[in-house]
Amino acid sequence: MDKIKMTTPLVEMDGDEMTRIIWKQIKDIVILPFVDLKTEYFDLGLVNRNATDDQVTIDSANRTKELGVAVKCATITPNAQRMEEYDLKQMWKSPNGTIRAILDGTVFRSPIMVKGIDPLVSTWKKPITIARHAYGDVYRDSEMKIDGAAKVELLVTYPDGSTKTQEIFNFKDSGVVLGMHNTDKSISAFARSCFTYALDTKQSLWFATKDTISKTYDHRFKDIFAEIFEAEFKDKFEKAGIEYFYTLIDDAVARIMKCEGGILWACKNYDGDVMSDMLASANGSLAMMTSVLVSPDGKYEYEAAHGTVTRHYYKYLKGETTSTNPMATLFAWTGALRKRAQLDGLKDLEEFANKLEKASIDTIEEGTITGDLKNLIDIPVKNVVNTEDFLKAVAAKL
Ligand code: NAP
Ligand code: MG
């Protein structure tokens, strides 16, 4: 059989622990036998990040800006324990944070839906994708405890020395206060990433804030989204047959519970933090959540939403076989291959990505699963297999 050809390489970002093992298995078992795979390889495993003073992470993100599509394995974000375990020179920053800052992107998360693992919300028939604004608000705030009677004010100082003040509250007794911010630049980048991804996946976009109460702060988000939509995306949305829908956050939450899914839900930072955990647990398993970082100018980095599955890796090191679920990492590969195919006009490659996803979903729906799904799935299970045998079953079907 002739292998499927690629023209532009993917940026391949390898990672750590169990997902690094799975990474190689996915390539060997379900991709390389069928595709003449072209990648530019960056080793983001912690050992190499430490050896390169984390330059490899920066290089991989910059290369993604040039080539347009990356696929990333889960990576360790170092903490004190990892400093010791890997004898690190420094507590290197989270690679995802570094890459997100360089691409100025937004993360979109959606569940892989299969028959038998039904969402807890029975009206959801199609995946709901959440986009979380990843800058500012309460995550970059400045907080103070007020110990007794005190007048608290906002003070703005301009470069020419002129000032503006506004009273926040005149405390009669103790309490708390916080100041937070966001920037037009960050909100605009978030809006463009959301509109771009909605068009890309042909899904309507919902956005919600609390602008009736927060008449300046939240209203700014609403205005920026509306202005960018009118100026840059309205015609394209009409042509694609999708809509942009703005509402209040409480109304959005109520509607989400009654909708059938298949939409993109853009959330402010805090809303996205809370709602993405709600969505993930309503869909059953972290091992079935995919994630893609999209920059405002349409560069893509695909990955699994879960981490490096450390507990399984320590078992693997002891020589035990593990039944770690490769679905989310597999979908990172298919997402990246499909995007590359669309950008380069490669019909065969796009069809391959679609067929690989279908083969993996069919494998589960016909009863061959990894251990994590055993207690979640409501269909007759034939085999609970290890990761390698699961991938072999997918390859056989493919
Ligand atoms: P995790 O790797 O997501 O795993 C947490 C638990 O969830 C696992 O122990 C396992 O449960 C279950 N799980 C997750 N993915 C699974 C899969 N594919 N198949 C089967 N079960 C799965 O989170 P963590 O243990 O908190 O973090 C481990 C490392 O990952 C940390 O060093 C962290 O920094 C890093 N991390 C990286 C990313 C990223 O690169 N995007 C994201 C999050 C965390 P059982 O043990 O019960 O089987
Ligand atoms: Mg959270």
Side-chain angles (χ1 to χ4, degrees), residues 188-313:
S188 304
F190 176 53
R192 287 199 176 89
S193 296
C194 291
F195 289 128
T196 302
Y197 194 63
L199 269 179
D200 212 59
T201 55
K202 298 229 176 352
Q203 300 182 87
S204 287
L205 176 69
W206 293 16
F207 180 48
T209 72
K210 195 69 185 177
D211 68 290
T212 46
I213 301 297
S214 174
K215 290 188 167 63
T216 303
Y217 195 101
D218 275 18
H219 207 88
R220 189 75 195 128
F221 282 77
K222 178 184 178 180
D223 282 348
I224 287 176
F225 265 73
E227 282 159 21
I228 292 177
F229 180 66
E230 283 296 322
E232 299 169 31
F233 292 94
K234 198 173 177 198
D235 296 346
K236 294 178 191 156
F237 267 53
E238 256 164 37
K239 258 194 214 124
I242 56 173
E243 63 166 358
Y244 168 56
F245 171 61
Y246 176 85
T247 187
L248 289 168
I249 184 66
D250 38 354
D251 181 49
V253 170
R255 284 171 187 259
I256 281 288
M257 287 298 156
K258 291 185 237 158
C259 81
E260 66 159 21
I263 57 142
L264 203 61
W265 185 15
C267 291
K268 285 181 64 201
N269 209 347
Y270 175 83
D271 300 337
D273 185 349
V274 176
M275 291 305 162
S276 56
D277 281 5
M278 189 268 296
L279 197 81
S281 66
N283 280 290
S285 174
L286 197 54
M288 298 286 279
M289 282 294 269
T290 64
S291 176
V292 54
L293 175 74
V294 182
S295 76
D297 58 345
K299 313 292 182 203
Y300 298 77
E301 182 243 288
Y302 293 83
E303 65 179 313
H306 59 76
T308 59
V309 211
T310 310
R311 203 180 66 83
H312 296 209
Y313 182 60

Side-chain angles (χ1 to χ4, degrees), residues 51-339:
T52 62
D53 291 341
D54 209 23
Q55 188 60 39
V56 66
T57 308
I58 296 164
D59 291 346
S60 71
N62 284 329
R63 197 63 183 132
T64 303
K65 277 177 122 173
E66 290 161 3
L67 290 178
V69 188
V71 55
K72 179 180 171 291
C73 179
T75 46
I76 292 169
T77 298
N79 56 16
Q81 183 249 319
R82 301 293 197 172
M83 292 283 290
E84 219 169 284
E85 183 182 355
Y86 284 82
D87 191 18
L88 300 179
K89 298 183 220 168
Q90 260 187 56
M91 203 184 284
W92 306 110
K93 286 191 206 149
S94 146
N96 287 50
T98 303
I99 295 164
R100 196 162 58 213
I102 292 173
L103 292 179
D104 195 12
T106 297
V107 174
F108 297 82
R109 282 188 163 194
S110 34
I112 303 163
M113 289 176 85
V114 298
K115 277 193 218 93
I117 307 178
D118 299 316
L120 296 175
V121 179
S122 58
T123 48
W124 295 353
K125 301 297 175 213
K126 291 183 247 169
I128 293 170
T129 301
I130 285 203
R132 172 181 171 189
H133 184 208
Y135 178 81
D137 301 353
V138 80
Y139 301 85
R140 286 268 187 126
D141 72 352
S142 177
E143 310 192 355
M144 244 186 249
K145 208 165 160 302
I146 308 297
D147 292 325
K151 186 162 114 177
V152 180
E153 293 172 311
L154 284 177
L155 164 65
V156 183
T157 310
Y158 292 99
D160 68 1
S162 63
T163 60
K164 208 161 109 182
T165 57
Q166 190 174 310
E167 182 177 310
I168 295 174
F169 193 62
N170 205 342
F171 285 87
K172 303 271 178 294
D173 207 340
S174 58
V176 281
V177 65
L178 80 78
M180 64 186 199
H181 77 282
N182 223 300
T183 65
D184 285 1
K185 183 167 177 268
S186 175
I187 301 165
S188 304
F190 176 53
R192 287 199 176 89
S193 296
C194 291
F195 289 128
T196 302
Y197 194 63
L199 269 179
D200 212 59
T201 55
K202 298 229 176 352
Q203 300 182 87
S204 287
L205 176 69
W206 293 16
F207 180 48
T209 72
K210 195 69 185 177
D211 68 290
T212 46
I213 301 297
S214 174
K215 290 188 167 63
T216 303
Y217 195 101
D218 275 18
H219 207 88
R220 189 75 195 128
F221 282 77
K222 178 184 178 180
D223 282 348
I224 287 176
F225 265 73
E227 282 159 21
I228 292 177
F229 180 66
E230 283 296 322
E232 299 169 31
F233 292 94
K234 198 173 177 198
D235 296 346
K236 294 178 191 156
F237 267 53
E238 256 164 37
K239 258 194 214 124
I242 56 173
E243 63 166 358
Y244 168 56
F245 171 61
Y246 176 85
T247 187
L248 289 168
I249 184 66
D250 38 354
D251 181 49
V253 170
R255 284 171 187 259
I256 281 288
M257 287 298 156
K258 291 185 237 158
C259 81
E260 66 159 21
I263 57 142
L264 203 61
W265 185 15
C267 291
K268 285 181 64 201
N269 209 347
Y270 175 83
D271 300 337
D273 185 349
V274 176
M275 291 305 162
S276 56
D277 281 5
M278 189 268 296
L279 197 81
S281 66
N283 280 290
S285 174
L286 197 54
M288 298 286 279
M289 282 294 269
T290 64
S291 176
V292 54
L293 175 74
V294 182
S295 76
D297 58 345
K299 313 292 182 203
Y300 298 77
E301 182 243 288
Y302 293 83
E303 65 179 313
H306 59 76
T308 59
V309 211
T310 310
R311 203 180 66 83
H312 296 209
Y313 182 60
Y314 291 156
K315 282 172 97 177
Y316 167 87
L317 288 181
K318 281 194 240 155
E320 295 172 37
T321 55
T322 70
S323 182
T324 316
N325 189 338
M327 285 292 279
T329 305
L330 179 67
F331 271 64
W333 275 99
T334 52
L337 288 171
R338 178 166 44 237
K339 175 49 66 184

